[in-house]
Amino acid sequence: MDAQSRGRADDIDPADQWVLNPHTGNYELRLDQSAGESPVAARTATAEDSGRRGDTGTGAPRDGREGSGRRGANSPEVPGQRSRRGSQSGGRGAEATATAGRRKRKAPKARRKKALMWTGGVTAFLVATTAVGAYILYEKLNGNIDAIDIGDQGNKNVVSDGPMNILIIGTDKRTGKGNEGYGDKGSAGHADTTILFHVSEDRTNATAMSIPRDLKTEIPECETKGSDGASTTIPGTPDERFNTSLGQSGRNPGCTMKTVENITGVKPDHFMMVDFNAVKELTTAVGGVEVCMAKPIDDPKSHLKLKQGKSKVEGEMALALLRTRHSFGNESDLDRIKVQQQFLASMIREMKSSDTLTNPKKLYTLADAATNALTVDTAIGDAKKLMTLAQEIGKVDTKNITFLTMPVIDNPAEPKPITVVVDPVKGEQLFAMLRSDTSLTEVKQKEKAAKGKQAALLKGPKAAPADVRVDVLNGGEIAGAAGATVTWLQNQQGVLKSTNKANAPEKIKKTTLEYAPNQADQARALAEMMGLPAAAMKPGTADAEGLEAMVLTLGADFKGAGIPITGPAKIPADVEKSSADKAVCAK
């Protein structure tokens, strides 16, 4: 776009408006407020804004130079605009030349690194058939975003101080041109692809757990809100496929969130939902995603044809790859999930290795495509809030994003199993790890190992249960938790000197055990019984006197008497996992 075309609002190139703010490291879309005027008129209007620009209010520069008079000392300068304004004495030709130079100039290395750091945030938007990933920097995109009121489900804040859990839902509802052949005709849609994306409290790692659509589980009672604000209570059902938690019987994504919490004990903070168009539009927007096949694929049902080895897929071909059940493994939904995870990991790598985040025009195209396909909860239902969430998730290094599938077994209630149920042992172990924010990556394990001093508090001799003396307070969310815990300690563990002290003065997030140095053996014994993490141990400096008891305060991480506060240190055996930074060929 040359200087002469700036007078037409419909000729504005989005790429020409995206600039890097050196003070924040963020790309920002800045529209010329005088669009439709001539360049001279636009500059005059800018000069008259003395409150923001810091000029004298007369339209004349303070120091006699046009460039310095329009910008105050505290107003951040945007790369590219310096050269244009510094060249205005050369006329429109000079301005066009400066603008061209601005487009070609690369951001300094440090700024590019910060921009690329955001790539981890793509994971929250690009999950399986719900591939949605863009940093939304332009308010115009607000109109693309659909939001649903999910009532008391989720978190009303955009970002949580602790761990964050985002439920990614891909629905098979038939909407959009070209999707007539997908999904069930006339259906309100199902939770066809669902991933619980857990981001650690310290933002060093994340876990993406796929939930099989054919999982048999209880769908709890849930409440939905209509467009008129009226609430409707939808009865729960005890033995249903998980995918009916959305769309069926009028259920909305809030019902799916409640179902996930009912299964795992992990409460999702937000949801993001997309349909088939997301895959087609976004894979095209990034120029295709590289995939690898361990063997040639020719599936007449999905019309998927891929050679052995590496290929690039986009549009309809990408959607066919993610939906096929007959090209891999034993043709089950569990094998389809593996392919979806491999595809997602590849798309994240594509986003990070390409110039998407440093190419304003490409980023704008991707953001437009993503928001057109995106439905979220009202707490994150605008562009600025989504960007805030993306930046927070973007702190996670790609190599520390782990993909896995919820541990399941064949449904024992079916003579010829076609559905699955949660593995009663491995499933609960994994859920406990998510609830206690235990990382599945080796990097995080090394970091935890470095905290040897705190971990050492759990090592050493342990007192007999009869010698453990503890007062229990409830600082969590479960009513009567202190009393239930004391009953469990006395009847199941033999800790007869335990006392119910009712509610704590205030709510706390993490369970704590306060004890004196001469009570360390009692503390270690109680920690073992309750599955307390080392972080819960709070030793004092002065010895206890007489019959003084330790103080156990139950936090929001407490899920019930007898349920360990923390999960195992390592992922259960035989649970397959993969990392977002490694390429794997689909089998």
Side-chain angles (χ1 to χ4, degrees):
M1 182 177 70
D2 58 21
Q4 284 74 19
S5 67
R6 295 180 188 273
R8 294 180 55 194
D10 56 351
D11 283 342
I12 293 177
D13 183 350
D16 193 47
Q17 306 302 313
W18 291 61
V19 291
L20 182 69
N21 188 325
H23 297 273
T24 64
N26 298 344
Y27 279 103
E28 300 174 354
L29 271 174
R30 299 200 174 181
L31 289 177
D32 188 346
Q33 299 300 322
S34 56
E37 303 176 24
S38 67
V40 174
R43 289 195 294 272
T44 301
T46 303
E48 290 174 354
D49 186 3
S50 61
R52 289 193 306 255
R53 302 299 184 181
D55 63 11
T56 62
T58 65
R62 287 175 175 169
D63 59 0
R65 289 178 301 158
E66 183 179 2
S68 62
R70 285 199 310 273
R71 186 170 295 277
N74 296 323
S75 180
E77 194 167 14
V78 177
Q81 291 182 344
R82 298 173 186 159
S83 59
R84 183 181 64 185
R85 289 176 173 141
S87 307
Q88 286 175 357
S89 60
R92 290 185 177 180
E95 181 178 345
T97 303
T99 302
R102 182 183 75 239
R103 292 177 187 169
K104 294 180 180 179
R105 188 171 68 188
K106 295 182 178 179
K109 184 176 181 181
R111 296 171 188 160
R112 291 199 306 271
K113 182 177 180 181
K114 184 171 183 178
L116 290 175
M117 180 186 72
W118 292 356
T119 306
V122 170
T123 306
F125 310 126
L126 296 177
V127 179
T129 62
T130 67
V132 177
Y135 299 106
I136 308 163
L137 303 175
Y138 188 22
E139 284 293 348
K140 170 180 176 294
L141 301 180
N142 275 336
N144 293 347
I145 304 171
D146 291 326
I148 294 177
D149 187 344
I150 54 174
D152 60 355
Q153 291 299 307
N155 189 343
K156 302 311 176 185
N157 297 321
V158 176
V159 174
S160 168
D161 291 335
M164 292 194 306
N165 298 288
I166 302 168
L167 195 64
I168 312 298
I169 306 171
T171 176
D172 58 0
K173 183 178 180 180
R174 287 169 48 161
T175 58
K177 184 178 179 181
N179 294 323
E180 295 82 2
Y182 301 115
D184 298 328
K185 185 175 182 179
S187 171
H190 304 77
D192 187 63
T193 298
T194 307
I195 293 183
L196 178 61
F197 188 71
H198 172 87
V199 183
S200 68
E201 181 173 4
D202 59 10
R203 310 300 189 245
T204 63
N205 64 93
T207 299
M209 183 182 72
S210 297
I211 303 174
R213 65 182 184 183
D214 293 330
L215 176 74
K216 272 295 188 76
T217 187
E218 175 188 3
I219 309 296
E221 178 184 283
C222 62
E223 187 177 274
T224 63
K225 285 191 175 182
S227 57
D228 59 354
S231 297
T232 301
T233 299
I234 303 174
T237 50
D239 191 28
E240 290 278 357
R241 289 184 189 236
F242 173 82
N243 67 348
T244 64
S245 64
L246 175 71
Q248 310 309 298
S249 303
R251 297 185 179 107
N252 67 15
C255 298
T256 307
M257 294 170 72
K258 192 169 184 179
T259 302
V260 170
E261 182 180 3
N262 191 56
I263 296 170
T264 66
V266 177
K267 183 179 179 66
D269 294 294
H270 303 290
F271 83 85
M272 295 179 181
M273 181 173 69
V274 294
D275 57 21
F276 298 129
N277 285 325
V279 175
K280 296 191 291 186
E281 294 176 4
L282 289 168
T283 53
T284 300
V286 298
V289 176
E290 186 177 87
V291 295
C292 181
M293 301 294 111
K295 61 181 181 181
I297 302 298
D298 187 356
D299 180 8
K301 294 186 177 181
S302 66
H303 307 292
L304 177 65
K305 289 186 178 182
L306 291 173
K307 65 180 181 180
Q308 182 177 359
K310 296 180 180 179
S311 302
K312 268 205 169 184
V313 296
E314 61 179 274
E316 290 286 349
M317 190 64 71
L319 181 58
L321 173 64
L322 296 180
R323 289 191 53 77
T324 182
R325 297 181 59 155
H326 306 286
S327 301
F328 307 102
N330 60 7
E331 303 186 10
S332 71
D333 185 48
L334 298 180
D335 288 303
R336 184 185 72 137
I337 286 174
K338 292 179 183 178
V339 175
Q340 291 172 345
Q341 292 172 349
Q342 292 163 9
F343 176 89
L344 173 58
S346 180
M347 190 164 190
I348 293 172
R349 293 192 300 272
E350 175 69 26
M351 292 285 292
K352 189 168 185 176
S353 63
S354 71
D355 65 346
T356 300
L357 295 180
T358 54
N359 183 327
K361 189 170 185 177
K362 192 172 184 180
L363 182 58
Y364 177 87
T365 301
L366 182 60
D368 189 43
T371 52
N372 267 315
L374 184 64
T375 301
V376 299
D377 55 283
T378 51
I380 55 173
D382 69 52
K384 290 182 179 179
K385 291 178 180 179
L386 278 174
M387 180 183 173
T388 298
L389 184 62
Q391 288 178 305
E392 191 72 9
I393 297 169
K395 296 175 182 178
V396 181
D397 193 310
T398 307
K399 68 181 180 182
N400 291 337
I401 300 173
T402 300
F403 295 94
L404 49 73
T405 303
M406 176 185 289
V408 294
I409 58 174
D410 288 339
N411 189 349
E414 297 173 343
K416 186 177 180 182
I418 56 175
T419 62
V420 295
V421 295
V422 176
D423 187 309
V425 177
K426 297 175 183 177
E428 179 52 40
Q429 289 177 334
L430 178 59
F431 303 157
M433 293 180 75
L434 293 177
R435 291 194 298 263
S436 62
D437 198 23
T438 301
S439 173
L440 304 187
T441 65
E442 293 181 4
V443 173
K444 183 62 176 177
Q445 293 299 336
K446 291 178 181 178
E447 291 175 2
K448 287 193 173 184
K451 301 176 181 178
K453 185 176 181 180
Q454 187 70 18
L457 297 176
L458 296 176
K459 298 178 181 179
K462 300 177 180 64
D467 295 329
V468 174
R469 189 183 298 273
V470 61
D471 292 339
V472 183
L473 292 86
N474 182 17
E477 305 295 332
I478 302 175
T485 298
V486 168
T487 299
W488 176 78
L489 285 172
Q490 293 179 348
N491 296 339
Q492 303 295 324
Q493 302 298 315
V495 182
L496 302 179
K497 298 173 184 176
S498 52
T499 306
N500 175 12
K501 293 294 184 178
N503 292 330
E506 59 183 4
K507 298 289 186 181
I508 61 174
K509 293 182 179 180
K510 303 287 186 179
T511 297
T512 61
L513 177 60
E514 301 172 71
Y515 60 96
N518 60 342
Q519 295 173 323
D521 58 339
Q522 296 181 49
R524 287 189 287 266
L526 186 64
E528 183 177 60
M529 295 175 199
M530 298 197 61
L532 296 179
M537 309 294 279
K538 306 295 180 184
T541 57
D543 283 345
E545 298 180 359
L547 302 179
E548 186 178 348
M550 301 182 295
V551 177
L552 174 68
T553 305
L554 305 174
D557 56 350
F558 176 81
K559 300 303 176 184
I563 300 177
I565 299 296
T566 186
K570 295 183 179 181
I571 190 172
D574 302 326
V575 174
E576 294 185 35
K577 65 175 184 175
S578 60
S579 174
D581 68 331
K582 296 180 180 178
V584 179
C585 291
K587 298 179 180 180

